[in-house]
Amino acid sequence: MKTLVVCSGGLDSVTLAHKVAAQHELAGLLSFDYGQRHRKELGFAALCAERLNVPHRIIDIREIGRGLSGSALTDSVDVPDGHYAEDTMKATVVPNRNAIMLATAFGLAAAHKVEAVATAVHGGDHFIYPDCRPAFIDSFQMMQDRALDGYAKIRVYAPYVNLTKADIVRDGATYGTPFAQTWSCYKGAERHCGRCGTCVERREAFHLSGHPDPTDYEDSDFWLDALRRRTA
């Protein structure tokens, strides 16, 4: 299956790229500059494409991103610390982001005769991101079937949609994903902060998977306090 991977440069999408390269035909990586507060992760997507020897394209949708205001990922809003599943993490929602990106990816896939578009949405995203849930993926597939009826048949490939991030780490280890060459932190400093929701989720995922975490965190123990507060 000739597949285009939407790749942010994060752990999930880089792992997905390695999985597709091993199991299918990897057509290339597609990233988006939507005006995120830092572009650091895009550099890791570029490294992944170079490593897998496939084309990498970055689509500039900053003008769209400027209209999707109010998110801690795009505006001058403090990135909250804490567990990924806490209500405070709703501050990181960028409205309709995945729908916009996937629609663009499907257009490119149709134009270039690609059979599938892969996205690394996973079960841990379901708490706060509605466009990462199985119902969204199913509905998006139905919409694209109609949008491209008679022109192209393209599949949404979302193998992690019902899995945890720990499952993704285990899968990534199987396919030799270089986890140290991925970026998760929402704050975009020199090191992973270890305190924002995605850093806490990353740290917890490695712990639950039993795989060593190669990530360099500013605060490597905060995730334990965040987990205790969440479970309490």
Side-chain angles (χ1 to χ4, degrees):
M1 185 168 61
K2 189 176 181 181
T3 305
L4 177 67
V5 174
V6 177
C7 184
S8 67
L11 185 152
D12 310 325
S13 60
V14 170
T15 293
L16 180 58
H18 279 261
K19 181 184 184 74
V20 170
Q23 293 186 338
H24 303 284
E25 179 185 351
L26 179 58
L29 305 186
L30 181 65
S31 304
F32 292 87
D33 183 350
Y34 58 90
Q36 53 267 56
R37 287 169 63 168
H38 69 82
R39 302 176 79 257
K40 187 163 186 172
E41 62 184 359
L42 296 178
F44 287 88
L47 283 175
C48 180
E50 182 179 345
R51 187 167 56 248
L52 296 175
N53 195 30
V54 295
H56 177 224
R57 186 170 186 173
I58 300 176
I59 302 292
D60 185 347
I61 56 170
R62 285 177 292 177
E63 188 60 38
I64 295 173
R66 275 190 282 270
L68 307 178
S69 58
S71 172
L73 301 192
T74 56
D75 287 356
S76 297
V77 177
D78 288 340
V79 175
D81 293 341
H83 196 277
Y84 199 68
E86 292 178 21
D87 282 346
T88 54
M89 295 305 146
K90 290 179 180 177
T92 64
V93 172
V94 179
N96 228 30
R97 178 177 59 174
N98 277 350
I100 293 166
M101 293 179 180
L102 283 173
T104 303
F106 262 73
L108 291 173
H112 294 278
K113 311 303 181 187
V114 172
E115 298 168 279
V117 171
T119 177
V121 299
H122 64 88
D125 291 330
H126 298 172
F127 298 105
I128 53 176
Y129 299 126
D131 57 0
C132 291
R133 296 169 187 162
F136 167 76
I137 295 297
D138 293 342
S139 298
F140 191 88
Q141 181 71 72
M142 291 176 62
M143 182 269 288
Q144 284 298 314
D145 288 345
R146 286 156 179 75
L148 295 171
D149 186 33
Y151 183 78
K153 289 184 180 294
I154 300 171
R155 173 188 171 192
V156 180
Y157 181 51
Y160 301 140
V161 70
N162 289 308
L163 300 180
T164 68
K165 201 178 189 81
D167 293 326
I168 295 175
V169 171
R170 294 186 191 99
D171 201 44
T174 300
Y175 294 107
T177 303
F179 297 119
Q181 296 181 40
T182 66
W183 186 265
S184 297
C185 184
Y186 284 153
K187 298 183 181 180
E190 278 300 307
R191 302 160 68 193
H192 281 73
C193 73
R195 299 179 65 91
C196 70
T198 190
C199 276
V200 169
E201 183 199 35
R202 181 183 176 111
R203 185 70 184 86
E204 183 181 7
F206 276 102
H207 171 73
L208 293 174
S209 72
H211 192 279
D213 185 355
T215 313
D216 181 22
Y217 298 99
E218 290 281 353
D219 188 338
S220 59
D221 296 325
F222 176 81
W223 73 280
L224 290 169
D225 291 332
L227 184 59
R228 290 189 198 103
R229 289 198 304 271
R230 173 65 183 169
T231 54

